[in-house]
Amino acid sequence: MTVEAARHRELVEQQVKSFVAHISSQPYDASMARWQTVAPLCPLVAGLPREDGEYILTRVSSIAAAAGVPVAPEHCKANFYIVVSAEPDALLKAWNKRDVYMFNDEAESGGQKIRKFLNSASPIRVWYNAELFSDEGTPLGNGEGRTNGRAQETRLVFNETRDLTSALVMVDGPRARGINFGQLASYIAMVGLAEIRADADRAAGPSILHLFSSPEDQRPAGLSRWDQAFLKALYHTEHTDRQQLAEIKTAMADEIAPR
């Protein structure tokens, strides 16, 4: 029994390493972006009847709380926009003209990143805005000339962390047809509470991220145990530790296959 348990644990560790490496979008020299107390999650749902919108909002907030995501109190200023539209392309282009700050994380790519987002044919597309913060929570921005007076010469921790400040989840109503609200809310939570790669549906392992790539009769009903373990690990590991990614993998393996 001990040998079998050890083999199972080793297999899970290998699978988790591959899963996390494939779904997480992490710059080489920065921490994994997540919501922080300096900019807590404040979701807003638009484009749905009130009752349906409230369901999505409640479900996403519940998943966030279970994972340990800092959630703002009621009547907060929205920073996590969940929008359902039958004409998402036209809506996004109009939004981009009206609010240039909604897409303020694309300067380095010269607009290529935003054009790819605007022209995406995905049923659900996500835009993340992230900024650098000092270990005290002071925003440092992302442009040239930013300074961190508390930076230390060390290779053990990050002197600054990369945190989400806003995000937009755009749901293409016609392309998402056939998905129930429980599945939709779970998918939105997974891609909105962490910065997830656009091709994450190819990752091995059970996940709500396979919602649109799975056959209709095999679509996941909600967050998998792996998804829950990933979100929990992301928000309970040390954000400044350069080994954060490795810690997340270990925490996930411990959750899925306890020693």
Side-chain angles (χ1 to χ4, degrees):
M1 292 294 292
T2 301
V3 173
E4 289 298 322
R7 288 176 178 172
H8 176 63
R9 168 74 186 201
E10 183 178 353
L11 177 60
V12 168
E13 288 178 344
Q14 293 174 352
Q15 293 173 330
V16 164
K17 287 179 181 179
S18 175
F19 178 79
V20 174
H22 200 104
I23 72 170
S24 60
S25 177
Q26 180 197 30
Y28 175 75
D29 58 348
S31 60
M32 295 183 65
R34 66 186 186 187
W35 298 96
Q36 290 286 74
T37 53
V38 292
L41 183 77
C42 181
L44 177 149
V45 180
L48 288 174
R50 183 180 180 84
E51 183 176 347
D52 297 333
E54 287 292 337
Y55 174 85
I56 297 289
L57 187 65
T58 299
R59 182 61 182 149
V60 169
S61 299
S62 176
I63 293 172
V69 181
V71 180
E74 288 188 66
H75 310 299
C76 52
K77 183 179 179 180
N79 55 18
F80 180 34
Y81 304 92
I82 303 166
V83 183
V84 181
S85 175
E87 299 181 351
D89 294 342
L91 176 59
L92 283 171
K93 289 175 182 177
W95 194 336
N96 184 36
K97 291 181 179 179
R98 185 183 73 249
D99 185 5
V100 295
Y101 295 105
M102 184 62 231
F103 305 96
N104 65 6
D105 197 30
E106 56 87 34
E108 295 182 2
S109 63
Q112 181 179 359
K113 181 178 175 183
I114 191 171
R115 285 194 295 272
K116 183 178 180 181
F117 173 76
L118 293 176
N119 296 321
S120 172
S122 175
I124 296 182
R125 64 189 98 172
V126 190
W127 181 269
Y128 305 98
N129 286 319
E131 293 185 15
L132 295 175
F133 290 79
S134 71
D135 58 359
E136 289 184 322
T138 303
L140 301 173
N142 289 324
E144 294 183 4
R146 59 181 176 81
T147 59
N148 183 357
R150 291 176 52 86
Q152 304 176 39
E153 292 187 8
T154 175
R155 295 184 179 181
L156 299 178
V157 298
F158 292 112
N159 283 303
E160 50 206 27
T161 59
R162 186 168 175 271
D163 301 317
L164 295 173
T165 54
S166 65
L168 166 63
V169 175
M170 176 59 69
V171 181
D172 186 322
R175 287 193 172 102
R177 188 172 288 115
I179 302 299
N180 65 48
F181 285 121
Q183 293 170 311
L184 183 62
S186 297
Y187 187 95
I188 289 172
M190 186 64 179
V191 299
L193 302 182
E195 190 175 15
I196 302 294
R197 289 175 53 175
D199 62 349
D201 61 335
R202 301 176 186 174
S207 175
I208 189 65
L209 297 172
H210 300 309
L211 182 61
F212 297 101
S213 59
S214 299
E216 187 173 351
D217 60 345
Q218 298 177 26
R219 288 172 176 168
L223 289 184
S224 71
R225 189 179 180 187
W226 286 49
D227 296 329
Q228 295 171 341
F230 172 77
L231 291 176
K232 182 179 178 181
L234 174 62
Y235 284 91
H236 287 81
T237 50
E238 182 54 54
H239 202 30
T240 59
D241 193 337
R242 288 183 177 272
Q243 299 300 314
Q244 182 190 24
L245 200 61
E247 291 181 5
I248 287 174
K249 295 172 183 177
T250 299
M252 275 191 68
D254 287 342
E255 187 81 13
I256 298 168
R259 296 179 187 276

